[in-house]
Amino acid sequence: MIKKLASCVREYKRPSLLTLVFIVGEVIIECLIPFITANLVNQIKAGVELKRLLTVGVTLAVMAIVSLCCGGLAGLTCAKASAGFAKNLRNDIFDRIQDYTFENIDKFSSSSLVTRLTTDVTNVQMAYMMVIRTAVRCPLMFVFSITMAYIMGGALSTTFVVIVPVLGTGLFLVSRKAMPAFRRVFKKYDRLNESVEENVRAMRVVKGFAREDYEKEKFKSAAEDIRADFTKAERIVALNSPIMQVCLYFNMIFVLIVGSKLTITSMGQTVDIGQISAMLTYGMQILMSLMMLSMVYVMITMSAESVKRICEVLDEKPALHNPENPITEIRDGSVDFNNVSFKYSKTAEQYALADVDLHISSGMTVGILGGTGSSKSSLVQLIPRLYDTTEGSVCVGGVDVKNYDIKALRDSVSMVLQKNLLFSGTIKENLRWGNENATDEELIQACKSAQAHDFVSSFPDGYDTYIEQGGTNVSGGQKQRLCIARALLKKPKILILDDSTSAVDTKTDALIRKAFKEYIPETTKIIIAQRVSSVEDADMIIVMDGGKISAVGKHDELLAKSDIYREIYEQQTNGRGE
């Protein structure tokens, strides 16, 4: 995991190394200042000349300024390095998610991925910042201060034999006790984000069912769980301060009492005033170093759970891969299912599709009907290779889809999904997802074919109208038509509409299908629908039931031989055959 995260430092290695250099300089100077100060005190006691006093004073001032500059520069380079590291880490996670297939995404909830991209990366960023700054500074300060304390303090330095083990053990036990609570918090962040995401996405449903109080209570419960764990952890970590204070005051009392006694009894020969002053300073530096090390330990241990969660995303291998020598040219829009069976998980007991054998010629209009759960969407998702077959093969243009370059295949297949989605931006920007180089005339033509031009023109800003996140400022029917127009702009070999006209009236639906014949006559059109009227003029109608093809034929043929099709037709026409 460390090696994987280290690869994200990349162009920020220089500021990271500079931080270490500046920290070393700061620590060395800070440890030398008490030594020089102690000698100056002794020289003043012995009667130093004013010139010598001024020289040492200027030296101390220069050292303090240099130390301050080193500390400031270390802060700047550290901030640049840690923020850059976090940027690269977020980009790497996001890039990996873009390579995921639906199968991979199914393993992670969207709220969990958001938490990993935000909270977890922030925790790792803080840990990295502490590693290259505090985790280097504190051990150096501790070692240099201990060394100087023994050089300067003589017998007084025995105080650290007692204080350091006591403080170190106490801080370690406190940190270790707090860790379980910190670990639990990160998993609960997923639950909190999930509550927010679901509430915002389903706001209309929440208000429609007057469930605001329920949602508030659910969010409150998730927030309360996080508060309780953080409170418990912080309450334990707060013990660091009293432990630190006890050791600090013990050191001060010991140094002052024992040092004063030795100074008086030895007439300054064994211990003098300068040494006492240095021991108080070094004692503070040693104890503060241990205190900060304990905080570094807490932060790194906290971030360890975040690192694990981030690496789960980075280590997840895309379920679909390009072949060694992929084919990039799709000959035509013919589609063949050859004894296809499919299930979403290798461990699933039941197949979503079973024994599908189907052949569609290029340019045909194909309708697919079936009840809820009959795997209509599962069938068409195999065509652009959103999933791979478990058994059998799917061919497009006479070639197994597994032999195509994935991007080339999906560029040749336009799919308007059941859940229509528009992105934040203008209508033009959304439409150009289908063809980024489309002219304004092409946009208008596609919208006319999708029966969207009239309502777009009615907006004050026309095609420059801003679409809110998720397309919340347009109706369901308008959203569907814009998504269809976006798909048409690709001029695909195959166009798949997965129940994509359910929110438009039958007249508009008929006009859209008529426009397909004129706008993309050579494109294979596969229409999943709930209404018989949407597919009755299709070249081929497929009736699905329980993941299998129940019947295939034209409208009149199916009325005669398919009980399922006839039942759907009669229910929708009230038996009038209209």
Side-chain angles (χ1 to χ4, degrees):
M1 291 192 294
I2 298 298
K3 185 178 179 181
K4 190 175 292 292
L5 293 185
S7 66
C8 296
V9 177
R10 295 198 284 273
E11 70 270 29
Y12 296 97
K13 288 179 182 177
R14 186 169 180 270
S16 297
L17 293 173
L18 284 176
T19 300
L20 303 181
V21 172
F22 291 135
I23 288 296
V24 170
E26 181 188 18
V27 169
I28 291 175
I29 293 172
E30 282 193 14
C31 289
L32 287 175
I33 287 176
F35 178 77
I36 296 173
T37 303
N39 287 332
L40 180 61
V41 170
N42 292 333
Q43 289 175 15
I44 292 174
K45 178 184 173 184
V48 69
E49 294 181 0
L50 181 60
K51 184 178 180 181
R52 172 64 179 166
L53 182 64
L54 289 174
T55 301
V56 176
V58 170
T59 301
L60 287 173
V62 171
M63 291 177 70
I65 292 172
V66 172
S67 176
L68 180 64
C69 290
C70 284
L73 290 171
L76 289 173
T77 54
C78 180
K80 182 178 180 179
S82 59
F85 165 72
K87 178 204 72 174
N88 288 343
L89 184 56
R90 283 195 182 94
N91 285 340
D92 287 355
I93 296 172
F94 190 79
D95 288 347
R96 176 46 59 97
I97 292 172
Q98 299 310 302
D99 291 334
Y100 280 0
T101 63
F102 285 1
E103 182 180 336
N104 297 118
I105 293 173
D106 290 342
K107 293 183 180 180
F108 302 96
S109 68
S110 56
S111 59
S112 178
L113 290 173
V114 169
T115 303
R116 294 171 203 236
L117 273 164
T118 52
T119 304
D120 286 329
V121 171
T122 299
N123 288 334
V124 174
Q125 177 185 349
M126 292 296 295
Y128 182 72
M129 182 175 66
M130 296 190 81
V131 164
I132 63 174
R133 189 176 185 186
T134 310
V136 173
R137 188 182 193 281
C138 293
L140 286 175
M141 181 66 75
F142 178 78
V143 172
F144 284 143
S145 296
I146 283 282
T147 302
M148 295 302 294
Y150 273 90
I151 292 173
M152 293 291 296
L156 290 178
S157 60
T158 55
T159 180
F160 300 118
V161 176
V162 177
I163 293 175
V164 170
V166 170
L167 180 59
T169 302
L171 295 178
F172 174 75
L173 292 175
V174 166
S175 302
R176 188 174 182 182
K177 189 75 174 175
M179 284 310 102
F182 279 124
R183 288 194 184 100
R184 287 195 299 270
V185 166
F186 300 116
K187 294 180 180 178
K188 292 178 179 179
Y189 270 124
D190 289 349
R191 183 181 165 195
L192 187 73
N193 285 341
E194 184 178 2
S195 177
V196 174
E197 183 183 2
E198 284 185 344
N199 184 270
V200 172
R201 183 177 293 177
M203 184 61 70
R204 287 172 172 77
V205 178
V206 173
K207 292 190 176 297
F209 284 87
R211 296 283 282 177
E212 292 91 344
D213 291 339
Y214 170 80
E215 288 294 315
K216 288 177 184 177
E217 192 60 36
K218 187 170 72 171
F219 180 84
K220 182 179 178 182
S221 175
E224 178 61 25
D225 280 350
I226 293 176
R227 183 207 63 79
D229 280 341
F230 261 126
T231 301
K232 182 179 180 180
E234 295 292 348
R235 190 183 293 128
I236 296 171
V237 172
L239 293 174
N240 281 349
S241 183
I243 294 174
M244 172 70 179
Q245 295 296 324
V246 168
C247 292
L248 179 62
Y249 290 129
F250 175 83
N251 177 66
M252 290 177 62
I253 293 170
F254 180 87
V255 170
L256 288 173
I257 292 176
V258 177
S260 298
K261 184 177 181 181
L262 289 174
T263 301
I264 293 171
T265 55
S266 67
M267 301 297 290
Q269 296 301 312
T270 304
V271 177
D272 55 30
I273 296 173
Q275 287 175 292
I276 294 175
S277 171
M279 285 299 295
L280 290 173
T281 303
Y282 286 129
M284 176 68 78
Q285 290 179 346
I286 290 168
L287 297 178
M288 287 302 296
S289 296
L290 285 174
M291 179 75 169
M292 291 305 297
L293 277 175
S294 75
M295 299 307 296
V296 171
Y297 173 73
V298 170
M299 188 65 223
I300 290 177
T301 308
M302 281 174 59
S303 67
E305 186 66 24
S306 292
V307 169
K308 181 181 176 183
R309 286 159 54 83
I310 287 170
C311 286
E312 284 176 354
V313 177
L314 294 175
D315 290 337
E316 178 73 15
K317 301 298 182 184
L320 303 180
H321 300 278
N322 266 338
E324 194 169 320
N325 297 302
I327 298 171
T328 57
E329 291 294 327
I330 288 80
R331 186 184 66 195
D332 56 41
S334 61
V335 179
D336 298 288
F337 286 78
N338 301 308
N339 301 315
V340 169
S341 293
F342 168 73
K343 53 184 177 181
Y344 284 96
S345 170
K346 294 177 181 179
T347 58
E349 296 181 0
Q350 189 173 357
Y351 283 92
L353 292 167
D355 304 321
V356 176
D357 200 72
L358 179 65
H359 305 283
I360 302 171
S361 300
S362 182
M364 288 182 69
T365 298
V366 179
I368 303 178
L369 283 175
T372 302
S374 59
S375 296
K376 303 184 295 294
S377 296
S378 300
L379 180 73
V380 296
Q381 286 176 355
L382 298 177
I383 298 172
R385 207 184 169 201
L386 299 179
Y387 292 96
D388 267 344
T389 60
T390 306
E391 297 174 11
S393 65
V394 176
C395 296
V396 171
V399 177
D400 193 325
V401 293
K402 294 178 182 178
N403 295 327
Y404 282 119
D405 175 79
I406 294 177
K407 185 177 184 302
L409 174 64
R410 292 176 183 170
D411 277 343
S412 295
V413 180
S414 275
M415 192 166 183
V416 184
L417 297 169
Q418 226 170 352
K419 295 181 180 179
N420 297 284
L421 181 65
L422 296 174
F423 296 90
S424 301
T426 64
I427 290 176
K428 279 185 180 179
E429 290 169 346
N430 270 277
L431 292 173
R432 286 196 170 111
W433 272 66
N435 179 2
E436 61 183 353
N437 299 314
T439 63
D440 289 349
E441 289 74 17
E442 288 173 325
L443 297 183
I444 292 171
Q445 181 57 48
C447 283
K448 285 181 177 178
S449 298
Q451 306 303 306
H453 178 68
D454 288 344
F455 78 77
V456 171
S457 300
S458 70
F459 295 148
D461 295 324
Y463 284 84
D464 292 315
T465 300
Y466 188 82
I467 299 294
E468 301 292 342
Q469 185 179 19
T472 56
N473 58 332
V474 291
S475 70
Q478 291 172 338
K479 190 188 300 184
Q480 284 187 338
R481 283 175 278 172
L482 287 173
C483 289
I484 292 171
R486 181 173 63 189
L488 290 175
L489 280 167
K490 288 181 73 172
K491 297 290 181 67
K493 294 279 198 310
I494 301 169
L495 173 65
I496 300 172
L497 301 182
D498 188 354
D499 201 16
S500 305
T501 57
S502 57
V504 301
D505 58 77
T506 53
K507 180 182 178 182
T508 303
D509 186 12
L511 290 172
I512 291 173
R513 285 183 282 113
K514 180 183 177 183
F516 286 168
K517 295 178 181 179
E518 299 171 358
Y519 189 72
I520 46 172
E522 298 179 0
T523 296
T524 302
K525 297 163 277 291
I526 301 175
I527 304 170
I528 295 177
Q530 299 296 333
R531 294 188 298 232
V532 172
S533 60
S534 297
V535 298
E536 63 181 345
D537 59 348
D539 301 314
M540 177 194 297
I541 302 173
I542 302 165
V543 181
M544 298 197 65
D545 182 39
K548 296 184 177 182
I549 293 179
S550 172
V552 176
K554 292 192 174 184
H555 174 68
D556 293 336
E557 296 171 350
L558 293 174
L559 281 177
K561 69 180 183 181
S562 173
D563 293 336
I564 295 174
Y565 187 82
R566 190 186 312 112
E567 182 181 352
I568 295 173
Y569 179 71
E570 289 177 352
Q571 285 176 347
Q572 293 182 6
T573 61
N574 294 319
R576 296 192 305 271
E578 298 173 359

